[in-house]
DNA sequence: TAATAAAGACCGACCAGTCGGTATAAGTTA
DNA sequence: TAACTTATACCGACTGGTCGGTCTTTATTA
């Protein structure tokens, strides 16, 4: 029998295990027994910590945001220009990608589920809403300071986001992960260059 | 009993019906009886035309490419500049999006399945390989003619593709589909402008 | 052209197996 | 011992796939 552990420790373990399986097999094809095997726990233990499979999945979205997403506050640094902030962000994404490409596959699963389930959609929409807000503010700051030309902040923010999402393509279709980083750098430079005032 | 129809007609019907259900519920959550209901056919009829559920799904990828993807040959038109071709392509995507946003959700399902199944991955990889080749050639032509600056054709093609994919975001999270078209136009103009020689 | 034969399309009851979830018991710890 | 955590036996709903057989259309032949 597995050692008893405090709730917060155990749930972290379950989250990490569930992430692996969900990313690999998708929500529906992942059975609770898959998660049991991955954690080494029993069915009863899992259901003790989570009401049901969907509850577990919804928790996973929070877990992803907390674990894998860059800390927002570090981008409030006023000493950096808007271009520099985007570059910094891009570098962090590259690093995440090199360490663990599966992080981005999780997003794919989130999007796919968002298309099927209202609750998931709301939660994922909020997740990306947060990101877009961050980008938008950085862009606005760049415009106000005279660094960027007169852009549409909302659409520009979205362009950056979708450009970054493009890296998922490499995780799926390209074995050599180096190229993903090259893509990201190239695209980011291209966009920022287009943002800058002449 | 349903009227007997020639194979090619019937399979088209099944494909259209299956597309709707798969996009809405995803592969695993779609049962064969869902497809039965959507077509009005019996289980035996479906299995008469397709070996199994996965065979049906794989056929759907071909069907999508044939039905919803712009005809490649029209882009061989040498009288158009590379910029004009991309603009034309972008307009067609916009039109598709206005008519039926679910077309793009199908891609999401393809990607998601590509992550889980080797056969699907190979097929989807080829699909996007075709698209990327088309883009790459147009870009190369633009460079050779002096219209575009010295770009990396492969990465540039990928940038355009991922930018277009970004429209999926609107299908998922935004009710007002008009905005998707605005996004696409904005991004496409931005990219092309960046491609052009000064 | 009429009768017959072959092919193709379609039907639905049925099977073996899987899954999410529940109820309850057993182990652990403070 | 009381509270918490983990284990196990079990259930009902549902799924993909099979199969014997029927109905329709097309081809052949007399």
């Amino acid at each position: 029998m597995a050692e008893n552990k405090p709730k917060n420790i155990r749930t972290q373990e379950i989250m990490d295990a569930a992430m692996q399986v969900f990313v690999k097999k998708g929500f529906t094809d992942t059975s609770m027994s898959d998660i049991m095997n991955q954690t080494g726990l029993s069915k009863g233990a899992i259901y003790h910590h989570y009401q049901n499979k969907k509850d577990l999945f919804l928790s996973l979205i929070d877990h992803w945001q907390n674990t894998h997403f860059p800390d927002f506050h570090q981008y409030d640094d006023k000493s950096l220009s808007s271009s520099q902030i985007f570059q910094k962000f891009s570098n962090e994404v590259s690093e995440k990608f090199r360490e663990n490409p599966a992080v981005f596959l999780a997003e794919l699963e989130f999007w796919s589920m968002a298309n099927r389930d209202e609750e998931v959609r709301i939660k994922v929409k909020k997740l990306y809403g947060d990101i877009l807000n961050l980008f938008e503010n950085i862009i606005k700051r760049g415009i106000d300071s005279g660094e960027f030309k007169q852009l549409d902040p909302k659409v520009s923010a979205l362009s950056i986001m979708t450009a970054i999402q493009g890296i998922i393509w490499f995780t799926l279709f390209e074995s050599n992960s180096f190229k993903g980083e090259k893509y990201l750098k190239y695209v980011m430079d291209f966009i920022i260059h287009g943002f800058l005032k002449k």
Side-chain angles (χ1 to χ4, degrees), chain A residues 143-190:
Chain A
I143 297 172
D144 291 343
S145 74
E147 182 186 1
F148 290 163
K149 59 177 78 153
Q150 284 298 325
L151 303 160
D152 181 322
K154 273 196 193 308
V155 188
S156 304
L158 199 53
S159 316
I160 291 196
M161 200 194 73
T162 57
I164 294 174
Q165 295 290 316
I167 208 167
I168 293 176
W169 191 90
F170 291 93
T171 329
L172 282 177
F173 302 121
E174 208 67 34
S175 53
N176 188 345
S177 64
F178 159 73
K179 291 181 186 170
E181 295 162 71
K182 178 185 170 188
Y183 157 81
L184 200 58
K185 182 169 170 26
Y186 185 94
V187 169
M188 216 59 184
D189 286 348
F190 181 85

Side-chain angles (χ1 to χ4, degrees), chain A residues 7 25 43 49 58 73 76 89 91 93 95 107-108 113 120 128-129 132 155 157 164 167 184 192:
Chain A
K7 197 170 189 65
K25 307 183 73 172
K43 188 168 257 194
H49 291 288
L58 286 170
H73 300 299
D76 283 338
F89 188 89
N91 288 339
V93 172
E95 185 139 348
E107 292 187 72
L108 186 55
M113 278 299 288
V120 175
Y128 287 101
L132 285 175
V155 188
I164 294 174
I167 208 167
L184 200 58
I192 291 172

